[in-house]
């Protein structure tokens, strides 16, 4: 399967998940352990602290997945990275759904919390754009085309994660508290 087709299928999957956002959020009940723990935490209802918590958990999920994929590159097992990436996406969606179900407050503060939390992926996107713009050959005669394709795919993925995180955590399907 070509990389472009794989990327296109991933983007269609993201749009499909966005379309099914409300049923996915309603799938998770109120009796979940993480939801009850975060509901009992007083600091979590502050939009800045909740946004920083989301930022840190996004970073932990991203870097742990990257480390796991790096370790898997030492094994010669083909296609084992695909289930790892799918599980990472499912884990991120689970985290974002928990944040959506747990956080209570005004729409304005919810959007602030979502903007702070999803800014991790925006920062990562800007770093990858900078790396793409300043890409140079490693040695004379080197063709950096494959590195450029990898950076471009990283830009697409992190931009999609930023938008998805913002939509999942920033827009609630229940009545907001004033």
């Amino acid at each position: 399967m070509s990389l472009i087709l794989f990327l296109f299928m991933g983007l269609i999957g993201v749009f499909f998940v966005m379309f099914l956002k409300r049923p996915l959020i309603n799938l998770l009940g109120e009796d979940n352990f993480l939801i009850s723990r975060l509901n009992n935490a007083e600091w979590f209802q502050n939009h800045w602290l909740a946004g920083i918590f989301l930022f840190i958990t996004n970073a932990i999920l991203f870097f742990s997945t990257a480390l796991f994929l790096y370790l898997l590159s030492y094994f010669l097992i083909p296609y084992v990275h695909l289930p790892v990436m799918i599980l990472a996406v499912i884990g991120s969606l689970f985290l974002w759904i928990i944040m959506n179900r747990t956080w209570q407050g005004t729409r304005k503060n919810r959007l602030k919390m979502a903007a702070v939390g999803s800014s991790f992926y925006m920062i990562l996107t800007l770093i990858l754009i900078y790396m793409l713009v300043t890409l140079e050959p490693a040695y004379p005669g080197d063709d950096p085309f494959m590195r450029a394709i990898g950076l471009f795919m990283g830009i697409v993925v992190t931009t999609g994660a930023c938008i998805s995180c913002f939509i999942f955590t920033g827009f609630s399907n229940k009545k907001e508290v004033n």
Side-chain angles (χ1 to χ4, degrees), residues 43-44 46-55 99 103 113:
W43 61 267
F44 187 72
N46 181 338
H47 58 277
W48 295 115
L49 295 176
I52 291 170
F53 175 75
L54 180 60
F55 183 95
M99 294 291 288
W103 201 84
M113 182 265 304

Side-chain angles (χ1 to χ4, degrees), residues 24-25 28 93-102 168:
L24 284 174
I25 290 173
L28 197 62
L93 287 173
F94 181 70
L95 168 73
W96 300 337
I97 288 171
I98 286 175
M99 294 291 288
N100 185 309
R101 295 287 300 232
T102 307
F168 263 89

Side-chain angles (χ1 to χ4, degrees), residues 13-34:
V14 167
F15 290 127
F16 185 69
V17 166
M18 291 298 180
F19 183 71
L20 295 175
K21 176 186 162 225
R22 289 197 176 162
L24 284 174
I25 290 173
N26 291 333
L27 232 135
L28 197 62
E30 290 290 333
D31 58 346
N32 187 299
F33 172 73
L34 292 173

Side-chain angles (χ1 to χ4, degrees), residues 78-117:
Y79 304 112
V80 74
H81 62 284
L82 294 176
V84 171
M85 289 189 289
I86 290 171
L87 287 174
V89 169
I90 291 170
S92 294
L93 287 173
F94 181 70
L95 168 73
W96 300 337
I97 288 171
I98 286 175
M99 294 291 288
N100 185 309
R101 295 287 300 232
T102 307
W103 201 84
Q104 299 168 358
T106 63
R107 177 176 295 271
K108 183 178 172 183
N109 286 341
R110 178 179 284 276
L111 291 175
K112 287 179 192 176
M113 182 265 304
V116 170

